Amino acid sequence: MAAEKRLLIVESPAKAKTISKYLSGLPGDKFTVRASVGHIRDLPKNNKKAIDIEADFEPHYEIVKGKEKVVEELAKLAKNASEVILATDPDREGEAIAWHIAEAINLKKPKRIVFHEITKEAVEEALKHPRAIDNDLRRAQEARRVLDRLVGYDLSGLIWKKVRYGLSAGRVQSPALRIIVEREREIKAFTPEKFWIITAEVETGKKEKFTLTCSIEPRDEKEVERILAEGKKGSWKVKDVSETEVRRSPRAPFITSTLQQAASSRLGYSPSKTMSIAQRLYEAGHISYMRTDSTNLGAGAQKQIFATIEKRYGEKYLSPRTFKKKSKNAQEAHEAIRPSHIEVETAGVTEEQKRLYRLIWQRTVASQMSDAQMLRTKISANVESNIPDFAANGSRVIFDGWLKADPAARGEDVELPKVAQGENLSLIDIGSEGRETQPPPRYTEAGLVKELEKRGIGRPSTYATILRTLSERGYVEKINRSLKPTDTGEVVSTFLENNFMKYVSDTFTAEMENELDEIARGEREYAKTLKEFYGPFTKDVQSKESIDKITTLGEADPKFKCPICGGPMVIKLGRTGKFLSCARFPDCVGARTIDGLELEGPKETGEACPECGGKLIERDGRFGRFVACSNYPKCKFVKKDEESEKRASTGVACPVCKTGEMVERRGRYGVFYSCSNYPKCRHAIKAKPTGKLCAYVRENGVCGALMMQGTKTIPERCSDKTCPNHNPHKIKV
């Protein structure tokens, strides 16, 4: 009977399925593998009940709603098992989940195993070396959870009172928001300057043409005219030629932050999407654990990589390397993100998984390859006159090295003709182009992750969550892949900077992360850390209770007068952003949009709300006039007019969840189509769906994305941007 009584518990069903496959072939005892489906316990929503501050910040946990049956099944299986093994993820979060499982089903001495890749070899090796639950790691996760709850609850409560109901703040999200808002202020304060780029197209005696660029960018138009005049009448000669051989070394294997950055710039994936895809690859046994800040590669993995390089590219391409950046936490010293089996060049079920896996494979293999050798050429030329030098720069690869495995990192070759110093050149044309200096760019998601890592804010497991939270709170919006703070985001950040700058500063946030790391290493006490933080923090929050409520954000432009009384107006923050209100409000209810358009204000319709019996009010929203219940937010009923009812249904089934229907909606950027099961299913497309599925055949079968209405030249387009049927400039299959 003992052969049937070993229970192994993981977090996800996909992980359970993969491990079951590996364990089924082991001799001796049989395993039952079950998933907790993530966390089974968490802090309750009621903050007073969640944390007993007087009892050394002892948290009170409750079974997550909907997980009762999971806990019941695990407890039953554990009771009949001769041994229970907890195999949750190899980080603080995984250690905490393992501890919660043990507590919830009353395990006395559970065994804990960890592995950084889900392969047969790794799982079998881990089973040989079980250990107890690491309470230092678990306490570090608990400290983060409690800290985030205390900060979020206290700060959010104050913001509700002093700014607007429903807003929130967070220990890590608020510093991230501050960084985005500070960049936006730089952009607004930027004063552009005009400058000119001067180029000269020349020709050698052998009729080889190339372009020279002036070494300075003049700000004075008269200087531009002088350079052009001298350039046209002078005789051009090669002043100097230099050729320099340089080497490009490969980059380290991926860690969480660099994977998110590369996937964003190369594949267009958001950090959340990248981590979701990576999770699927990990659970299927294709890659090592994807939440890590270590660039280390294990000895076994390196041997596989070396063999693959020699076999595919030859011995001259092999150059073993060790990258120095490692986790500060020895107990969490994971490997870098790498393929579990390096000889497998393509892995994954979906096209997105295959593309991300390919990116990881290329980076891993390239990291152990020879330097690429480049020849950089610079030709300087001028006329016999007092004008700045002109130059042309070229480069070409003379040995591709690691670029052989990662050709997308190569860049373009720019070859220049062979010329000698003193050689005459014929001027074909010389001209100038006026431009303006540009403000610093907004952060992209990848850029913000890089900045957060640089400043020590957050950790690998938190980057994607930070970005998702800022978006879900309505504090930032994505415009052409760049993050722009909303009016609400700017107001919240300004309030926190003015009143709690210490707690949203880089230094404080980074130091707190280091203290959490020290708890994980057993070098710092949980209760002492929280006491040292919470005592001064709660006093600071209480001291701000007496500050005035922010009712206005400043005076409006004097040209905008109240549409009712003609008086001055002030800027206020509404649910949809900034607007202009009469300075005499509530005596006068005149209002305008921030751009000065008149707002009509709420009007009673004379109808009762069908859900709560309250009054139905017609009012202005972000996307026009609408009718809704006056008891919002307690009642969120919104009346749909006949036109929108007709417009909403498309009769097209959602291809993702299969149960919903694609309906027309109106968003910030106009009409779009999404699943009626939102937010459970978030599938959305820009143009109206035709009802057909794309039949472009890929390696794994049919594309299967929804076709949508296109242009006159291509009536139907695939909604999947990675499919050739999406691009009108490619052949339609």
Side-chain angles (χ1 to χ4, degrees):
M1 292 297 292
E4 300 294 333
K5 292 186 177 179
R6 297 184 78 187
L7 173 64
L8 189 143
I9 303 174
V10 297
E11 308 102 308
S12 81
K15 189 175 176 182
K17 184 178 179 181
T18 305
I19 293 176
S20 292
K21 181 177 63 177
Y22 297 146
L23 296 180
S24 62
L26 288 179
D29 290 352
K30 299 297 181 182
F31 286 87
T32 299
V33 185
R34 289 292 185 271
S36 68
V37 196
H39 277 279
I40 59 171
R41 299 199 310 174
D42 198 6
L43 299 173
K45 290 185 177 180
N46 186 320
N47 210 53
K48 292 180 180 178
K49 189 179 178 183
I51 304 160
D52 190 342
I53 295 172
E54 300 301 322
D56 288 338
F57 298 86
E58 194 62 31
H60 166 71
Y61 294 105
E62 295 180 351
I63 301 296
V64 175
K65 190 175 181 180
K67 291 290 184 71
E68 294 84 0
K69 288 185 178 180
V70 173
V71 175
E72 187 180 331
E73 182 194 14
L74 292 178
K76 185 177 180 181
L77 290 169
K79 188 176 181 180
N80 297 320
S82 60
E83 185 178 65
V84 180
I85 302 168
L86 303 173
T88 48
D89 286 344
D91 58 7
R92 299 176 195 176
E93 203 74 23
E95 209 70 25
I97 292 174
W99 178 79
H100 282 296
I101 293 170
E103 291 288 307
I105 63 177
N106 198 28
L107 297 178
K108 299 302 180 184
K109 290 184 178 180
K111 292 184 177 180
R112 169 85 167 110
I113 64 170
V114 293
F115 35 80
H116 300 291
E117 58 183 357
I118 306 176
T119 61
K120 190 173 188 295
E121 299 79 12
V123 173
E124 288 180 6
E125 184 64 25
L127 285 168
K128 296 175 185 176
H129 305 285
R131 60 168 172 80
I133 291 172
D134 189 324
N135 273 309
D136 291 329
L137 286 182
R138 190 268 299 179
R139 274 297 205 183
Q141 186 276 340
E142 193 166 68
R144 176 185 291 279
R145 186 76 182 91
V146 170
L147 268 174
D148 290 348
R149 170 59 75 88
L150 291 173
V151 173
Y153 188 88
D154 289 0
L155 280 185
S156 298
L158 188 66
I159 291 174
W160 283 22
K161 296 176 186 176
K162 304 301 179 182
V163 184
R164 200 191 72 204
Y165 175 83
L167 300 177
S168 70
R171 185 182 64 85
V172 183
Q173 87 184 41
S174 295
L177 176 61
R178 192 204 82 240
I179 292 170
I180 297 171
V181 170
E182 284 177 344
R183 175 57 57 87
E184 195 65 23
R185 290 176 189 147
E186 290 179 41
I187 293 170
K188 289 178 180 178
F190 182 80
T191 303
E193 290 182 37
K194 193 166 186 179
F195 68 95
W196 283 263
I197 294 176
I198 306 173
T199 56
E201 188 179 1
V202 295
E203 188 178 65
T204 67
K206 296 179 180 178
K207 303 299 182 184
E208 296 169 307
K209 298 177 183 178
F210 63 101
T211 301
L212 296 159
T213 303
C214 185
S215 58
I216 67 165
E217 296 172 345
R219 261 53 172 180
D220 184 355
E221 194 167 3
K222 289 184 179 179
E223 175 65 5
V224 176
E225 292 172 355
R226 185 186 75 82
I227 293 172
L228 292 175
E230 293 292 333
K232 287 176 182 176
K233 69 182 183 182
S235 299
W236 287 80
K237 284 188 177 181
V238 175
K239 189 175 180 180
D240 187 40
V241 180
S242 64
E243 285 189 339
T244 309
E245 191 174 308
V246 295
R247 290 175 174 266
R248 279 183 64 187
S249 297
R251 289 158 292 187
F254 283 130
I255 59 177
T256 302
S257 60
T258 53
L259 176 64
Q260 291 176 5
Q261 293 163 39
S264 176
S265 58
R266 287 206 192 179
L267 307 179
Y269 297 166
S270 69
S272 293
K273 183 173 183 176
T274 298
M275 296 310 291
S276 176
I277 298 170
Q279 180 86 33
R280 302 291 178 272
L281 290 171
Y282 166 68
E283 290 172 349
H286 296 313
I287 64 171
S288 59
Y289 193 55
M290 65 285 162
R291 292 187 180 93
T292 175
D293 54 5
S294 171
T295 54
N296 180 53
L297 290 172
Q302 279 191 315
K303 286 180 181 178
Q304 292 181 25
I305 296 167
F306 299 162
T308 298
I309 292 170
E310 288 186 338
K311 182 179 178 181
R312 287 177 180 268
Y313 308 118
E315 189 177 349
K316 68 177 181 178
Y317 282 92
L318 176 62
S319 179
R321 301 169 190 270
T322 301
F323 294 90
K324 300 295 183 183
K325 188 182 189 314
K326 292 183 180 180
S327 170
K328 295 179 182 178
N329 299 302
Q331 298 175 69
E332 297 179 273
H334 309 152
E335 285 191 62
I337 304 170
R338 59 167 177 79
S340 301
H341 300 285
I342 201 70
E343 69 276 8
V344 178
E345 196 168 339
T346 301
V349 177
T350 67
E351 190 65 21
E352 288 177 338
Q353 289 178 14
K354 290 178 180 180
R355 294 177 75 199
L356 188 66
Y357 179 85
R358 177 67 181 170
L359 190 66
I360 294 168
W361 187 92
Q362 289 176 321
R363 183 71 164 252
T364 304
V365 172
S367 73
Q368 301 301 310
M369 293 177 69
S370 305
D371 289 346
Q373 296 174 33
M374 324 283 291
L375 187 65
R376 291 184 179 165
T377 307
K378 181 178 180 179
I379 300 174
S380 296
N382 209 327
V383 295
E384 295 177 353
S385 179
N386 185 27
I387 64 171
D389 288 345
F390 281 61
N393 292 289
S395 65
R396 60 188 177 90
V397 175
I398 53 180
F399 174 63
D400 50 6
W402 64 274
L403 294 173
K404 187 88 169 178
D406 192 6
R410 176 171 179 156
E412 291 186 17
D413 283 357
V414 179
E415 292 206 41
L416 296 173
K418 291 283 185 182
V419 294
Q421 186 175 348
E423 183 176 334
N424 291 324
L425 300 171
S426 301
L427 179 68
I428 298 172
D429 188 31
I430 186 170
S432 65
E433 181 183 355
R435 295 186 183 178
E436 285 189 342
T437 52
Q438 297 296 311
R442 293 188 178 107
Y443 289 104
T444 60
E445 289 182 316
L448 183 61
V449 168
K450 185 176 182 179
E451 190 67 20
L452 292 173
E453 183 188 32
K454 176 183 171 184
R455 301 189 189 200
I457 297 173
R459 286 296 181 263
S461 61
T462 64
Y463 298 134
T465 304
I466 291 168
L467 288 163
R468 185 170 61 249
T469 301
L470 290 175
S471 177
E472 289 175 350
R473 294 282 188 269
Y475 290 167
V476 299
E477 57 185 353
K478 196 156 43 166
I479 301 176
N480 295 328
R481 297 180 66 183
S482 296
L483 299 173
K484 181 181 186 297
T486 62
D487 291 340
T488 304
E490 287 193 39
V491 171
V492 169
S493 185
T494 301
F495 175 82
L496 292 173
E497 290 173 56
N498 290 341
N499 296 285
F500 299 98
M501 187 59 198
K502 172 185 175 181
Y503 301 105
V504 296
S505 68
D506 292 351
T507 304
F508 182 86
T509 310
E511 285 176 355
M512 185 56 68
E513 292 289 356
N514 290 334
E515 290 182 6
L516 293 174
D517 291 345
E518 288 171 6
I519 293 174
R521 296 195 297 269
E523 299 168 3
R524 177 177 277 270
E525 293 180 13
Y526 165 88
K528 182 183 177 183
T529 302
L530 291 176
K531 280 180 182 176
E532 289 175 353
F533 165 79
Y534 192 67
F537 172 74
T538 190
K539 287 180 181 178
D540 287 344
V541 173
Q542 290 169 3
S543 70
K544 302 298 181 183
E545 290 284 353
S546 58
I547 64 175
D548 293 335
K549 183 174 181 178
I550 299 176
T551 55
T552 68
L553 305 177
E555 297 179 357
D557 191 318
K559 69 181 180 182
F560 296 128
K561 301 297 183 184
C562 174
I564 295 178
C565 71
M569 306 195 78
V570 293
I571 303 170
K572 290 194 175 186
L573 180 67
R575 296 193 178 277
T576 57
K578 293 177 183 175
F579 71 100
L580 306 182
S581 169
C582 181
R584 294 177 55 241
F585 180 86
D587 295 331
C588 178
V589 294
R592 295 182 183 273
T593 66
I594 197 68
D595 298 320
L597 298 176
E598 183 179 348
L599 292 172
E600 295 182 34
K603 292 181 181 179
E604 290 189 18
T605 63
E607 299 178 61
C609 174
E611 293 188 4
C612 73
K615 296 178 181 178
L616 288 184
I617 304 292
E618 183 181 356
R619 64 181 76 204
D620 282 291
R622 183 180 298 173
F623 310 118
R625 300 285 288 182
F626 69 101
V627 176
C629 182
S630 59
N631 289 332
Y632 180 89
K634 291 182 179 179
C635 177
K636 297 184 179 181
F637 174 77
V638 177
K639 183 180 179 181
K640 292 184 178 180
D641 56 36
E642 292 182 10
E643 183 181 346
S644 64
E645 288 281 3
K646 292 177 184 176
R647 189 176 61 214
S649 176
T650 64
V652 176
C654 173
V656 175
C657 71
K658 312 294 184 186
T659 60
E661 179 186 342
M662 299 300 290
V663 296
E664 181 179 324
R665 304 182 192 272
R666 184 171 292 275
R668 183 177 293 145
Y669 306 112
V671 172
F672 69 101
Y673 300 83
S674 68
C675 181
S676 58
N677 284 338
Y678 178 89
K680 290 183 179 178
C681 176
R682 295 175 178 266
H683 180 60
I685 60 177
K686 288 184 177 179
K688 188 172 183 179
T690 63
K692 302 176 187 176
L693 293 179
C694 178
Y696 178 79
V697 180
R698 294 180 173 164
E699 292 177 11
N700 62 322
V702 177
C703 171
L706 265 176
M707 297 297 287
M708 54 188 186
Q709 291 181 359
T711 61
K712 289 182 180 179
T713 53
I714 297 184
E716 295 179 338
R717 303 177 59 164
C718 179
S719 60
D720 185 348
K721 292 181 180 179
T722 65
C723 177
N725 274 350
H726 178 80
N727 192 329
H729 300 294
K730 293 186 177 180
I731 298 173
K732 190 170 187 293
V733 179

